Amino acid sequence: MSTTAYQYVDGEWIEGESDDEITVRDPADPDDPIAAFPGASQAQARAAVRAADTASASWAEAAPVEREEVLYEVADRIDAAQDSLAETLTREEGKPISSSRGEVARAAEIFRFFASQARTATGDTVPSNDPETFTYTVREPLGVVSLITPWNFPIATPSWKLATALATGNAVVLKPSSETPMIARRLVELLEAAGLPGGVVNLVVGAGSTVGDELTTHEAVDGVSFTGSTATGQHIAETVAERGLPVQTEMGGKNPLVVLPDADLDAAVDTAIAGAFGGCGQACTATSRLVVHEDVASEVTDAVVERAEGLSLGPGMDDPDMGPAVSAAENETNAEYVEVAKDEGATLLTGGGTPAGLEDGHFIEPTVFGDVDSEMRIAQEEVFGPVLGIIEVADFEEAMAVANDVDYGLSSGVFTSDMAAAREFTRRIEAGVVKVNGSTTGSQIQMPFGGMKASSSETTKEMGKRAYEFYTHEKVVYRSDP
Ligand code: NAD
């Protein structure tokens, strides 16, 4: 068991000083902890913010090419360590090793994409009404930004926040989920090795209740970017908004995949299975509602159930189709929702139990419910596990109504060969991401990402070529000749 320090403050690795014990477990084999260490104290979180504050001016003034070079170096180092990073990720988060390799490769791609923003996050030169006045805008870093991240994409999510914030000249404090501190530490080690000056990046691993307030209310914090659950995100958004600071919150989803009768049904079923059960359903964009036209409902339902029953399950290191839930608590929530759905009258078509031979880990079978009504909790609340509800609808209008009948609005999809219907769906769906003949999951780094309604603060989006906007002030300059 490792006891190496997990807190990185002002360029030093130090032990946590709080009474919170953080225990890292392999979700496939949780009895033997992989690591246990004390979480950061409030005072240490405060020290991390102060260190970032002290370091922020020189990083902001560093030549863009210098910031860019460090971030390219990080990308190269991530690539070079791909296999061992993937193993670290799978051991603490549980996802299949091939998915972890993909996520690590994506992290490198993210650093490469955003490295170039060091030089391209520019303002505008605007025609002036007065020929003696030069009018332009500049983008300047916020200063100190707190980055708070969940466990489900534990290297990709910190990477896209870190890379954008650092490229644009901010100093940061990263607070990863306590479920996945090992991969966060390895990422910060790579940033340090790539030459990032001490204090520009700080790592605080601790309980949200202990360190969270310091990272959101300290007077030196100039902005907060959060990804996680809607409950935590709303709390943070309110706290930060009271100070009038920029806050970005990307939160939960209840993502519908609509299947119309003219769809390529094989493709729709493949996509539903991947979207619902890939990553054990632990994606904010996971497909959790399959909204199917009644003409094809029984065919699609039978195929989904058959495919779900054919998925292989096991420890992530064995590279199955589906790994375990991240923790006992998450898997208990999954089991509770299975009971809730049954009690509400949904029909359990497959799954819902613990797979044979995997009783020691946090495993649950891929689960499909039929006879789901839109007002049931299983159709309204984010389960964040491998539980798919099939909702049968009579026509396109009902499909639209059901798809939009939730508080969330993150991702969505429609399968159809009727492009007029696809266009109508794209126009009317209340979701930040729309896929036509594609999965609710998955995104490209060069495309913006974010939701609507309770899924997102709907400030500037993450990723894409304008992701830097959140991390910068826009200053408007009128410069006249004397
Ligand atoms: P969570 O909200 O429990 O935790 C997220 C982070 O917030 C963790 O680092 C946690 O320690 C921290 N935190 C908790 N309380 C805090 C406080 N008071 N102050 C500051 N920080 C605090 O979420 P989770 O269980 O880690 O992740 C799963 C959730 O994340 C799901 O709801 C999922 O939909 C969502 N998610 C959203 C996106 C997106 O882009 N929309 C992406 C991935 C995950």
Side-chain angles (χ1 to χ4, degrees), residues 26 66-67 88 109 133 139 142 158 171 231 259 272 285 452 471 476:
D26 177 347
E66 192 183 317
R67 298 200 297 262
T88 300
E109 190 192 346
T133 301
R139 288 276 174 183
L142 295 179
V259 183
T285 52
M452 294 166 60
Y471 293 94
V476 181

Side-chain angles (χ1 to χ4, degrees), residues 337-424:
Y337 271 107
V338 169
E339 293 311 310
V340 165
K342 285 198 270 188
D343 289 349
E344 286 185 316
T347 304
L348 180 62
L349 300 174
T350 189
T354 304
L358 293 170
E359 293 81 2
D360 292 343
H362 305 312
F363 290 94
I364 180 169
E365 296 162 327
T367 302
V368 182
F369 278 101
D371 301 319
V372 174
D373 284 335
S374 189
E375 69 272 14
M376 290 178 180
R377 286 181 60 196
I378 199 73
Q380 291 289 326
E381 298 173 16
E382 184 184 52
V383 178
F384 220 58
V387 182
L388 179 66
I390 300 181
I391 307 175
E392 198 174 313
V393 292
D395 54 26
F396 178 81
E397 283 305 318
E398 191 183 352
M400 251 1 285
V402 165
N404 284 334
D405 181 29
V406 287
D407 291 337
Y408 294 106
L410 187 54
S411 188
S412 62
V414 62
F415 265 80
T416 181
S417 54
D418 174 353
M419 292 321 277
R423 193 171 58 239
E424 191 67 2

Side-chain angles (χ1 to χ4, degrees), residues 89-90 93-97 99-100 103 151-154 279 316-317 323-324:
L89 200 167
T90 288
E93 202 273 350
K95 68 179 65 175
I97 187 72
S99 303
S100 294
E103 188 181 332
W151 45 263
N152 61 328
F153 290 102
M317 290 307 295

Side-chain angles (χ1 to χ4, degrees), residues 268-269 272-273 277 290 299-309 350 368 388 390:
V269 168
I273 291 289
F277 304 124
L290 190 60
E299 188 181 343
V300 168
T301 301
D302 289 350
V304 164
V305 169
E306 189 187 327
R307 291 288 311 278
E309 289 175 347
T350 189
V368 182
L388 179 66
I390 300 181

